[in-house]
Amino acid sequence: MRTVTNPEILAFGEAMTLFVAEAAGELAEVERFQRRIAGADTNVAIGLARLGFGVGWLSRVGDDGFGRYIRHILETEGLDCRHLTSDPDASTGLIFKERAQGGADPHVEYFRRGSAASRLSPEDARAVDFGAARHLHATGIPPALSASCRELSWHMLERARQAGASISFDPNLRPSLWASEAEMRDTLNAMAGQADWVLPGLAEGRRLTGLDTPHDIAGFYLERGARAVIIKLGPEGSYYRGTLDGHEASFEIPGVAVSNVVDTVGAGDGFAVGAISALLDGLAPRDALRRGNLIGALAVQVPGDMEGLPSRERLAEQEAYWHERAKTS
């Protein structure tokens, strides 16, 4: 277990205990499940920690067996959990997921209403040392959980900005958690305007902006303050529009072909791990998109949300392999 003294990356949100069906079929018919953890925010935090970054995690779990399981997994993955609170008055959120077949998106059912994480508020960040942070990763999930979580999200964005940390923001739409489409759209677009790097999926960008093309969606967020917009295009790859060498640039990077898609959940989080880590490594945007595409492809080849996220060593091997393959194709 790696000890993190002063995390350079901050992440926050809800980690849930995940139960994945061992066999295909409707949840009503499944008898056996495998236990894992899930949550878009934790997927990215774990992925960055596996690549050697010091990551601090802020959240709440129930003072129950599921919460203790999550804490153990996150600490084993190397996350600094000093700001992970065990709440005696609320339960840890749960997810049950079907075993998908043929690359289809699996059906999932959530049991998270009133969860410990939904009780997060700015008070939970009172002891966070924002001055030591280099980067904050935020998503649209915490502000959807509750009013107090939304206040926390704004607090994290504002404090990170004041401290001079860079910010990435992935909308990660969860429409069923919002009171209205308008509230979701207005809140997440405003939060995206506080970020340096905005990472929507194409369908998410269309829904949030009302615009159709990656170029126009990116322009919407650039006009609101983002430095760069990176749009996930699924198997087709990804699109970048933003500042490059002092000038605005835009381009698309094709995706990495995957012959056997096992589980699509977590693909976008894997892409975020790749793109964010590359930009923090000082790589050029084209290389960031290539790494994002690669890790997104690795994520869909295994069951579970974060099992395919690579170590730094495996990433280097995969990048070298695909670099050689590109030269000979």
Side-chain angles (χ1 to χ4, degrees):
M1 185 184 302
R2 183 164 55 90
T3 301
V4 180
T5 53
N6 289 305
E8 59 184 315
I9 298 175
L10 298 175
F12 65 102
E14 182 171 32
M16 292 173 282
T17 298
L18 167 68
F19 292 91
V20 184
E22 288 191 349
E26 295 184 4
L27 287 177
E29 302 171 352
V30 175
E31 295 184 356
R32 303 175 72 89
F33 295 83
Q34 297 175 355
R35 184 177 65 167
R36 296 188 172 92
I37 72 166
D41 306 281
T42 47
N43 291 340
V44 175
I46 289 170
L48 293 170
R50 287 184 182 177
L51 294 178
F53 293 95
V55 181
W57 174 248
L58 186 152
S59 187
R60 282 177 175 258
V61 291
D63 186 14
D64 49 38
F66 297 127
R68 289 187 287 276
Y69 167 71
I70 287 172
R71 182 183 295 274
H72 171 72
I73 294 296
L74 295 181
E75 290 180 342
T76 299
E77 289 286 351
L79 272 64
D80 181 318
C81 292
R82 75 184 75 177
H83 302 301
L84 174 59
T85 300
S86 295
D87 190 330
D89 299 318
S91 301
T92 304
L94 305 178
I95 305 179
F96 291 82
K97 182 167 70 172
E98 290 181 358
R99 176 77 66 176
Q101 292 181 305
D105 292 338
H107 173 69
V108 296
E109 294 187 9
Y110 295 88
F111 296 85
R112 75 197 314 178
R113 187 180 300 276
S115 69
S118 73
R119 294 155 57 93
L120 284 163
S121 74
E123 180 64 20
D124 289 282
R126 180 172 50 84
V128 173
D129 182 5
F130 287 90
R134 177 185 174 197
H135 184 78
L136 170 73
H137 179 65
T139 78
I141 298 176
L145 294 177
S146 68
S148 64
C149 279
R150 197 169 311 159
E151 292 175 8
L152 171 67
S153 295
W154 278 118
H155 177 79
M156 298 293 286
L157 291 167
E158 291 165 1
R159 289 295 306 276
R161 174 64 65 217
Q162 292 168 1
S166 57
I167 299 171
S168 52
F169 183 79
D170 188 332
N172 265 297
L173 298 190
R174 300 295 188 270
S176 64
L177 298 179
W178 290 90
S180 70
E181 184 85 7
E183 183 181 53
M184 175 181 74
R185 182 186 63 243
D186 294 346
T187 301
L188 298 188
N189 285 340
M191 288 184 175
Q194 299 300 308
D196 298 285
W197 311 322
V198 182
L199 295 88
L202 180 58
E204 291 177 324
R206 286 170 171 165
R207 188 165 184 170
L208 288 172
T209 68
L211 302 171
D212 186 61
T213 67
H215 181 272
D216 290 343
I217 293 168
F220 178 92
Y221 291 113
L222 292 174
E223 290 173 0
R224 283 157 178 77
R227 280 172 35 200
V229 181
I230 301 172
I231 299 177
K232 294 165 281 188
L233 305 176
E236 286 70 40
S238 50
Y239 172 88
Y240 175 93
R241 184 179 174 190
T243 302
L244 182 61
D245 298 327
H247 304 281
E248 184 177 304
S250 63
F251 52 82
E252 186 174 322
I253 299 294
V256 175
V258 176
S259 59
N260 182 32
V261 176
V262 175
D263 188 342
T264 57
V265 176
D269 303 328
F271 178 88
V273 169
I276 294 167
S277 67
L279 292 170
L280 292 177
D281 282 343
L283 300 184
R286 288 183 184 276
D287 295 321
L289 268 63
R290 290 189 184 98
R291 183 183 288 182
N293 292 344
L294 174 57
I295 298 184
L298 294 175
V300 304
Q301 297 180 59
V302 297
D305 293 7
M306 55 81 174
E307 281 71 12
L309 301 175
S311 65
R312 182 69 73 164
E313 293 73 20
R314 182 166 185 245
L315 174 61
E317 293 171 357
Q318 289 290 319
E319 288 183 323
Y321 169 79
W322 285 101
H323 179 70
E324 287 300 315
R325 182 166 174 172
K327 290 197 300 184
T328 58
S329 62

